[in-house]
């Protein structure tokens, strides 16, 4: 999940361009950072820790600059965070510098082979084999471009690579199962793991496909598939540089929580006809009716998938949500009439891509529900539905989860309409009102007060039933991600089957109770169970079920449909997690051990 940035043609601004790009990529990793300049000589500087450590070091390093360079911010896989494990990595003679995102699966065999040849490694990483392989090809007399491609051919696994070679005014890049995108700005060219790295300079991009490599030279770039040049289409992304700033908020996460009303409007725009009482999804015009739907996803996206699967089952369509990491190794039975939906914010999640590819090989139709136009999932699937949330920089997903839920409602209505289930005007009206209701929750939330009173617990439980259950799971995940406190989400009815043994007076329980149906009343019964054990109860409710009479505190949401009530409850739980982490002085946007786009399995 590391971040890569490279640029050529920026002249004397190269160093600041690389540092700015790395700053914009810190959500992909922040264990260490480094940059290398190419050209007549290759120079490298790298430091453990956050980017500021590298910047301070560069201020004391004389004559460290150049007209082309590559940079890297690391999320550790092989070897702990340290200066020596930081990227870029070099060969022994200092002729080649390489940055890498992904995992080289055959690195140990390559490392053993190179050791036999006399190579002494200076890091614990799998990535270090790459510059040594390139150097061996240079020693054999191959020109730099051929040396690079010959080295890449030796690699098994996932990789996005960028390399510079002494005496060569070029950046060499290659991609396999880890994202790489080229940015084009006149004489300047960029390469990065993600568009925000260079968004302040250009919005014109070219996406590399698996197996392709590219050579960036001053004023031009060429993409190859094997030995043959490939004609690539330059696309313009819609995101603006302003969208990737904090806009005065203390943290990206808080900004993105408050951006949810706008994100939801963007998601719905052009897809909901309130007067006609129907949903219109141009991207899915050619999607035929499935006999069954399987969702594959990870983390937050898996919770969104659980929500959507329940909606489809309620509508009479067989549906199931699977953890993508499990599905890829043992897929469920599928037929040509099965639709497999990959829910992935980035469109680059390695486990989800593997699951989608396995489903495709087995004959299923595939659909990517993602935030990133041109992402790998969007390009590889038969269909793509974009959530249109805009860039999300905070590692803990907030507005993308809410937008996923809305987009999944649109997808469900599209699929169930095809099977003869009537769409309801009440849902359309509720979705139209949702952005304004989210804003109401943001304006009126008492989450900070709840945290002041109950934030010192030694464990935190989140419970719910039906559509509130995935929201409870997501509330617990968000809480543990950024507070580092123990939190668990449960189906409310499961408390008495084990978890109740953990409940004490120091275990605040957040109970999501919406509506006043049988599920709500049964959840109130579960609230009474924990109340009788002395646990404080915080009810997240629309006030229809009277659960507040049994609660120690209440987080209110507006009254609406069951589908959208769950989404509103989610916003309250996001705020609970944020305010708790803020009080604990956590690094909210960059939680320890985590990264935004999980591109390794």
């Amino acid at each position: 999940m590391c971040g890569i940035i490279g640029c050529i043609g920026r002249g004397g601004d190269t160093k600041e361009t690389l540092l700015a790009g790395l700053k914009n990529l810190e959500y992909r990793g922040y264990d260490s950072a480094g940059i290398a300049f190419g050209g007549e000589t290759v120079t490298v500087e790298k430091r453990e820790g956050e980017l500021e450590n590298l910047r301070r070091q560069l201020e004391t390093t004389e004559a460290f600059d150049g007209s082309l360079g590559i940079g890297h911010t690391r999320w550790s896989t092989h070897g702990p965070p340290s200066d020596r494990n930081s990227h870029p990595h070099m060969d022994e003679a200092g002729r080649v510098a390489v940055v890498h995102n992904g995992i080289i699966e055959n690195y140990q065999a390559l490392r053993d082979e190179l050791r036999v040849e006399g190579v002494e490694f200076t890091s614990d990483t799998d990535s270090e084999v790459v510059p040594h392989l390139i150097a061996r090809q240079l020693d054999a007399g191959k020109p730099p471009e051929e040396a690079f491609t010959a080295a890449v051919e030796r690699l098994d696994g996932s990789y996005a690579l960028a390399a510079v070679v002494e005496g060569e005014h070029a950046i060499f890049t290659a991609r396999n199962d880890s994202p790489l995108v080229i940015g084009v700005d006149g004489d300047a060219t960029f390469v990065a793991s993600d568009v925000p790295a260079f968004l302040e300079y250009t919005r014109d991009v070219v996406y590399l496909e698996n197996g392709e490599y590219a050579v960036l030279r001053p004023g031009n770039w060429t993409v190859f598939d094997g030995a043959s040049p490939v004609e690539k289409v330059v696309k313009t992304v819609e995101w603006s540089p302003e969208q990737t700033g904090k806009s005065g908020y203390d943290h990206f996460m808080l900004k993105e929580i408050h951006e949810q009303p706008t994100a939801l409007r963007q998601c719905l725009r052009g897809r909901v006809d309130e007067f006609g009482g129907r949903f219109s999804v141009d991207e899915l015009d050619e999607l035929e009716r499935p006999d069954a739907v399987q969702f594959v996803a990870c983390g937050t996206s898996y919770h969104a998938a659980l929500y959507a699967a329940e909606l489809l089952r309620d509508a009479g369509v067989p549906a199931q949500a699977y953890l993508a990491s499990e599905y890829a190794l043992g897929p469920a039975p599928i037929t040509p009439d099965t639709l497999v939906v990959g829910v992935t914010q980035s469109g680059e999640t390695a486990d989800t891509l593997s699951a989608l590819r396995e489903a495709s090989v087995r004959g299923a139709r595939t659909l990517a529900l993602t935030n990133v136009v041109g992402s790998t999932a969007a390009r590889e699937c038969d269909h793509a539905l974009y959530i249109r949330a805009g860039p999300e920089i905070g590692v803990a997903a907030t507005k993308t989860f809410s937008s996923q839920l809305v987009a999944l409602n649109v997808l469900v209505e599209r699929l169930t309409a095809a099977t003869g289930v009537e769409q309801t005007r009440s849902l359309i009206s509720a979705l139209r009102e949702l952005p304004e209701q989210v804003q109401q929750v943001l304006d009126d939330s008492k989450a900070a007060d709840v945290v002041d009173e109950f934030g010192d617990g030694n464990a935190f439980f989140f419970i719910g039933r039906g559509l509130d259950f995935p929201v409870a799971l997501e509330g617990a995940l968000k809480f543990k991600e950024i507070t580092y406190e123990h939190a668990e989400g449960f189906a409310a009815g499961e408390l008495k089957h084990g978890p109740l043994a953990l409940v004490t007076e120091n275990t605040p329980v957040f109970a999501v109770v919406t509506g006043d149906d049988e599920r709500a009343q049964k959840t109130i019964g579960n609230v009474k169970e924990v109340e009788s054990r002395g646990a404080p109860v915080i009810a997240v409710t629309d006030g229809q079920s009277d659960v507040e009479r049994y609660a120690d505190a209440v987080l209110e949401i507006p009254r609406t449909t069951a589908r959208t009530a769950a989404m509103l409850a989610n916003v309250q739980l996001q705020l609970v997690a944020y305010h708790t982490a803020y009080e604990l002085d956590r690094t909210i946007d960059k939680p320890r051990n985590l990264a935004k786009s999980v591109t390794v399995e």
Side-chain angles (χ1 to χ4, degrees):
M1 287 91 77
C2 307
I4 289 173
I5 176 68
C7 68
I8 188 168
R10 290 283 300 169
D13 292 333
T14 302
K15 180 170 70 175
E16 289 305 317
T17 301
L18 292 174
L19 289 171
L22 290 177
K23 185 66 177 176
N24 292 336
L25 289 173
E26 278 193 300
Y27 63 91
R28 297 183 65 90
Y30 30 86
D31 293 340
S32 59
I35 59 177
F37 286 102
E40 293 306 315
T41 60
V42 174
T43 52
V44 169
E45 194 69 57
K46 53 187 183 178
R47 284 292 178 272
E48 176 188 354
E50 296 191 3
L51 181 62
E52 191 57 33
N53 294 347
L54 175 65
R55 182 181 286 277
R56 284 196 296 267
Q57 179 61 30
L58 290 174
E59 290 174 354
T60 66
T61 304
E62 295 182 5
F64 192 80
D65 212 336
S67 61
L68 64 102
I70 54 178
H72 187 273
T73 181
R74 183 173 185 246
W75 185 86
S76 303
T77 55
H78 293 68
S82 66
D83 286 354
R84 68 191 190 93
N85 287 332
S86 306
H87 295 225
H89 291 290
M90 302 183 76
D91 69 312
E92 292 174 294
R95 295 172 296 171
V96 181
V98 172
V99 293
H100 167 228
N101 173 36
I103 292 179
I104 308 300
E105 294 176 357
N106 63 333
Y107 87 97
Q108 192 61 60
L110 294 170
R111 195 176 178 105
D112 292 343
E113 173 189 315
L114 289 163
R115 275 193 175 128
V116 170
E117 296 179 7
V119 172
E120 293 185 9
F121 287 86
T122 61
S123 79
D124 303 315
T125 70
D126 56 330
S127 310
E128 194 187 350
V129 299
V130 182
H132 293 298
L133 289 174
I134 297 172
R136 285 297 181 268
Q137 297 296 329
L138 293 172
D139 290 340
K142 291 183 179 177
E145 184 177 334
E146 290 184 27
F148 176 77
T149 57
V152 169
E153 288 174 0
R154 300 287 313 279
L155 306 178
D156 295 333
S158 62
Y159 51 80
L161 294 166
V164 292
V165 178
E166 182 181 80
E168 191 76 7
H169 289 269
I171 298 174
F172 304 100
T173 69
R175 177 246 160 104
N176 187 62
D177 287 343
S178 290
L180 267 182
V181 58
I182 294 171
V184 181
D185 180 29
D187 290 336
T189 309
F190 307 84
V191 64
S193 300
D194 205 353
V195 173
F198 52 71
L199 194 57
E200 62 191 281
Y201 306 109
T202 182
R203 295 191 294 133
D204 294 333
V205 303
V206 175
Y207 294 97
L208 294 186
E209 303 288 350
N210 280 341
E212 292 181 342
Y213 75 94
V215 180
L216 282 54
R217 298 187 186 278
N220 69 79
W221 52 272
T222 308
V223 177
F224 298 86
D225 184 359
S228 304
V230 179
E231 194 73 29
K232 302 292 286 189
V233 176
V234 178
K235 299 180 179 180
T236 301
V237 297
E238 296 180 358
W239 298 349
S240 68
E242 291 76 17
Q243 288 179 287
T244 60
K246 289 184 183 177
S247 303
Y249 289 93
D250 289 339
H251 298 93
F252 282 111
M253 183 180 179
L254 185 61
K255 170 180 176 272
E256 287 153 4
I257 288 172
H258 281 266
E259 285 176 342
Q260 287 177 117
T262 298
L264 299 185
R265 291 186 183 97
Q266 290 172 172
C267 183
L268 289 169
R269 186 174 297 126
R271 294 170 170 170
V272 177
D273 179 1
E274 189 167 5
F275 296 104
R278 63 187 183 89
F279 290 82
S280 176
V281 190
D282 293 341
E283 304 101 300
L284 304 182
D285 281 348
E286 298 180 3
L287 179 61
E288 297 179 1
R289 183 182 71 191
D291 290 339
V293 179
Q294 297 174 2
F295 294 92
V296 292
C298 307
T300 287
S301 295
Y302 174 67
H303 300 153
L306 288 171
Y307 170 96
E310 176 152 348
L311 292 184
L312 283 170
R313 290 194 298 270
D314 287 346
V317 179
Q320 187 67 46
Y322 297 89
L323 290 165
S325 56
E326 295 295 322
Y327 184 96
L329 298 174
I334 56 179
T335 70
D337 292 323
T338 299
L339 177 66
V340 178
V341 180
V343 186
T344 161
Q345 298 153 17
S346 66
E348 305 292 348
T349 309
D351 289 320
T352 305
L353 290 173
S354 293
L356 288 167
R357 288 163 184 160
E358 180 64 27
S360 182
V361 167
R362 291 166 58 88
R365 288 171 291 155
T366 56
L367 184 149
L369 189 133
T370 181
N371 193 37
V372 182
V373 177
S375 60
T376 301
R379 297 196 306 273
E380 291 188 1
C381 285
D382 300 314
H383 308 277
L385 180 61
Y386 296 107
I387 68 172
R388 302 174 180 170
E392 185 175 68
I393 306 302
V395 168
T398 52
K399 68 175 181 177
T400 51
F401 178 66
S402 296
S403 297
Q404 283 175 338
L405 297 185
V406 169
L408 285 165
N409 269 280
V410 172
L411 175 62
V412 166
E413 289 307 306
R414 167 66 174 78
L415 296 179
T416 56
T419 56
V421 178
E422 292 186 5
Q423 301 167 356
T424 62
R425 289 183 180 273
S426 62
L427 173 61
I428 293 174
S429 177
L431 289 173
R432 284 290 196 187
E433 294 172 358
L434 182 61
E436 184 176 342
Q437 291 177 327
V438 170
Q439 188 63 58
Q440 182 180 338
V441 171
L442 293 170
D443 291 342
D444 300 339
S445 177
K446 305 299 182 185
D449 296 335
V450 166
V451 169
D452 283 344
E453 187 171 357
F454 302 104
D456 60 350
N458 56 22
F460 300 82
F461 284 4
F462 296 75
I463 63 172
R465 289 177 183 257
L467 295 176
D468 294 337
F469 170 49
V471 167
L473 291 177
E474 175 61 14
L477 177 62
K478 211 56 49 197
F479 196 92
K480 70 181 73 173
E481 280 181 323
I482 64 170
T483 70
Y484 314 152
E485 299 298 308
H486 181 73
E488 294 293 340
F490 301 104
E494 288 297 298
L495 277 176
K496 57 187 175 292
H497 297 291
L500 202 58
L502 299 174
V503 170
T504 72
E505 64 275 9
N506 291 319
T507 312
V509 177
F510 291 83
V512 184
V513 187
T514 61
D516 191 24
D517 57 8
E518 183 180 5
R519 285 174 172 168
Q521 292 304 316
K522 287 184 178 296
T523 305
I524 290 176
N526 305 129
V527 166
K528 293 177 181 177
E529 291 170 0
V530 297
E531 181 190 42
S532 67
R533 272 78 178 176
V537 175
I538 300 93
V540 186
T541 182
D542 53 12
Q544 296 190 60
S545 64
D546 204 26
V547 67
E548 53 266 41
R549 68 184 295 181
Y550 307 106
D552 297 276
V554 176
L555 293 172
E556 298 178 352
I557 62 171
R559 294 191 179 190
T560 180
T561 67
R563 293 191 186 188
T564 48
M567 301 185 212
L568 294 170
N570 169 64
V571 177
Q572 288 282 23
L573 296 182
Q574 290 174 345
L575 292 168
V576 167
Y578 175 82
H579 287 296
T580 305
Y582 186 86
E583 289 301 315
L584 293 171
D585 196 27
R586 306 302 194 212
T587 53
I588 291 173
D589 287 332
K590 295 180 284 187
R592 69 186 181 200
N593 304 330
L594 300 179
K596 184 69 175 172
S597 181
V598 186
T599 56
V600 294
E601 293 184 77

